[in-house]
Amino acid sequence: MKKTQVLIWWLFTLTMCFAFNVEKFEDMVASFLNYGFLPTESSLEASATKAFAGFWMYMNVETAASRTWAYNILNEAYAMLPDDLQILFTGMQEWCFWGYPLAKYHFIEYSKISKSRLSHLLLGRYYFEIWKNTMLGEYKVKVLKELDALDSQKFIAVPSITMRMEIAYHEKDREKIRELYSRGKKSLGDFPLFWKEIIPFLYNMKFYSLVSSSVLKLIEEGRVGDVERYYLGMAWYHLKRWQDAYNVLGSIDETQLDDEKRSKLHDALGVILESNGDLWEAIKEYTRAIGQENDYLPYKHLGMAYLKTDLERKDSYAMYYLGIAESMCSTDVEVSEVMEELRKIRLWRVVKTVILPITGLAAIMILVSELLFKPRSKPTIL
């Protein structure tokens, strides 16, 4: 009986492998990479796509829990795959369990025996990880070579553009970013993940109008979250559309943002409130914004705002926060000039309230002592 069961299992596995359509599987993978949705149908290709998706999500969010989950789901899908595709999945399993170095050999072996487009995608991602850790030009060349091969095989997927964009962003190549945006818009413009993935690159390169149009595209698709709305609000802030920026930024759930974004959000709200004449509310927002090690602007804005108040000790408050700003960024001319004036004011205050009174008191004491202790002259005897 046991031999019969084993035979049936092997026959089932063999049948499944012959029935597996690699091209259909790759199309499902491309759909996942572009839409972010897993296939709902019940098929071998759909199951393999879900396993691939688990691996891809692990690469983007590398935690112990996601690693274990991805490894297990890849292991479950392994038996249903054709022999050559098992090589590819073994590489993904190695990546999950040991990291990307051991995955390379499986991806290269698979590329030699199969014309599958996924080998180029995964090898490109492999070289991309090395490039991110080393920033060596030779690995950048290898990344672009694999992505070019992917494009030549008409595998249209968002990661092909975003990996190129990250390289261009590292090189501060604004023209290349714009070119990739235009290129991706033509081939990937119908896919929500394209817009979601490119927004941070566009924002960091100060293409604020493109950020605005990209987020509005996501809003039309119903695929916008608080992070994307943050980028929209900040883009409008930089474009001086302050009322629109205030409406968006003020309605964001801050728990969905990291510390840096929360700081910039409150700083922007402070600037907008101050421009509207609401100085004390602006100071509250600046106070919420301070704390980030690499961002001196909230300290600068808070110090400058205190100078506009009618507080008796406004100069002291301003000098404290502007001093922090100056220590974080010594090249800000405005901060340096204001600090120089505040130091002069403080010096004069010390002179006026301490040195001059002490000097005056000393002079009086000297005068009094001379009058009291000066020897009296003896009368002249005729």
Side-chain angles (χ1 to χ4, degrees):
M1 181 65 183
K2 187 174 182 180
K3 290 182 179 180
T4 304
Q5 289 177 332
V6 172
L7 181 60
I8 292 174
W9 184 85
W10 275 107
L11 287 173
F12 173 78
T13 302
L14 188 61
T15 303
M16 292 296 100
C17 291
F18 278 120
F20 193 95
N21 187 318
V22 174
E23 187 173 347
K24 180 181 178 181
F25 163 60
E26 291 182 346
D27 289 341
M28 285 186 172
V29 167
S31 180
F32 160 73
L33 293 173
N34 294 329
Y35 284 102
F37 294 136
L38 295 173
T40 56
E41 68 176 71
S42 178
S43 65
L44 294 173
E45 294 81 8
S47 297
T49 301
K50 292 174 184 176
F52 179 91
F55 165 72
W56 196 262
M57 288 187 283
Y58 159 70
M59 285 198 296
N60 294 324
V61 185
E62 294 190 8
T63 64
S66 64
R67 178 184 66 186
T68 302
W69 176 71
Y71 180 84
N72 289 338
I73 197 172
L74 286 167
N75 198 44
E76 290 172 6
Y78 187 85
M80 69 179 70
L81 301 170
D83 290 343
D84 54 351
L85 204 56
Q86 285 181 351
I87 298 172
L88 192 70
F89 272 59
T90 299
M92 288 188 277
Q93 285 177 305
E94 293 281 3
W95 191 317
C96 287
F97 201 78
W98 299 107
Y100 62 82
L102 294 181
K104 170 188 175 182
Y105 306 104
H106 301 284
F107 296 159
I108 291 177
E109 183 181 355
Y110 179 67
S111 68
K112 292 178 180 178
I113 63 175
S114 172
K115 296 181 179 180
S116 170
R117 297 165 289 181
L118 291 183
S119 61
H120 294 298
L121 175 65
L122 291 173
L123 274 172
R125 183 60 187 255
Y126 164 78
Y127 291 126
F128 181 73
E129 292 296 324
I130 300 177
W131 172 81
K132 283 200 301 183
N133 284 289
T134 63
M135 293 297 168
L136 291 176
E138 61 189 273
Y139 288 104
K140 182 191 80 171
V141 171
K142 291 182 178 182
V143 173
L144 297 177
K145 179 181 177 181
E146 295 298 334
L147 296 181
D148 287 341
L150 195 65
D151 294 344
S152 69
Q153 294 186 30
K154 308 300 181 185
F155 188 84
I156 300 172
V158 171
S160 178
I161 291 291
T162 55
M163 282 190 272
R164 294 177 190 273
M165 271 200 171
E166 187 154 344
I167 292 172
Y169 171 69
H170 172 72
E171 297 175 343
K172 306 301 179 187
D173 191 339
R174 285 174 56 84
E175 291 304 315
K176 188 64 176 180
I177 291 284
R178 184 181 285 277
E179 176 195 328
L180 290 168
Y181 168 82
S182 301
R183 175 179 163 186
K185 185 178 179 181
K186 291 179 181 178
S187 58
L188 297 162
D190 293 332
F191 304 127
L193 280 186
F194 166 70
W195 302 104
K196 189 181 287 285
E197 294 289 336
I198 66 169
I199 287 169
F201 298 113
L202 297 176
Y203 179 81
N204 291 330
M205 295 300 284
K206 301 182 180 181
F207 289 115
Y208 299 126
S209 295
L210 296 182
V211 171
S212 175
S213 60
S214 298
V215 178
L216 291 175
K217 181 72 174 178
L218 283 175
I219 292 174
E220 292 174 5
E221 299 288 336
R223 296 289 298 277
V224 70
D226 283 307
V227 173
E228 290 73 39
R229 293 174 64 240
Y230 161 82
Y231 283 118
L232 175 63
M234 291 301 295
W236 282 347
Y237 164 74
H238 289 293
L239 292 170
K240 307 300 182 183
R241 293 176 56 177
W242 283 356
Q243 188 57 51
D244 292 330
Y246 184 82
N247 292 339
V248 173
L249 295 175
S251 63
I252 289 174
D253 179 5
E254 294 179 32
T255 62
Q256 302 302 310
L257 306 179
D258 59 30
D259 291 341
E260 181 181 357
K261 289 184 177 63
R262 278 197 296 272
S263 173
K264 292 186 180 299
L265 180 147
H266 286 295
D267 187 52
L269 289 175
V271 171
I272 296 169
L273 287 166
E274 186 176 349
S275 71
N276 291 334
D278 201 341
L279 187 58
W280 286 108
E281 287 301 317
I283 286 176
K284 290 179 183 178
E285 293 295 341
Y286 294 145
T287 303
R288 295 188 184 105
I290 62 176
Q292 288 298 302
E293 293 182 0
N294 299 320
D295 191 1
Y296 78 100
L297 284 176
Y299 292 99
K300 173 185 175 180
H301 293 153
L302 184 55
M304 294 295 192
Y306 269 117
L307 282 176
K308 298 177 182 178
T309 67
D310 54 3
L311 293 174
E312 184 178 351
R313 299 187 61 193
K314 64 179 183 180
D315 292 348
S316 297
Y317 291 129
M319 196 167 187
Y320 173 75
Y321 289 110
L322 290 175
I324 296 174
E326 188 179 42
S327 68
M328 296 173 71
C329 181
S330 59
T331 57
D332 191 306
V333 176
E334 185 181 14
V335 171
S336 298
E337 290 177 350
V338 173
M339 282 295 292
E340 185 177 354
E341 290 299 317
L342 288 173
R343 290 186 183 104
K344 290 178 181 178
I345 292 172
R346 172 169 284 188
L347 179 60
W348 170 240
R349 185 176 295 155
V350 170
V351 170
K352 184 173 65 173
T353 59
V354 179
I355 296 177
L356 287 180
I358 291 174
T359 303
L361 181 60
I364 292 170
M365 291 178 68
I366 291 170
L367 182 60
V368 169
S369 66
E370 285 185 352
L371 291 174
L372 291 175
F373 301 106
K374 182 179 180 181
R376 294 181 181 182
S377 59
K378 294 182 178 181
T380 304
I381 300 177
L382 297 174

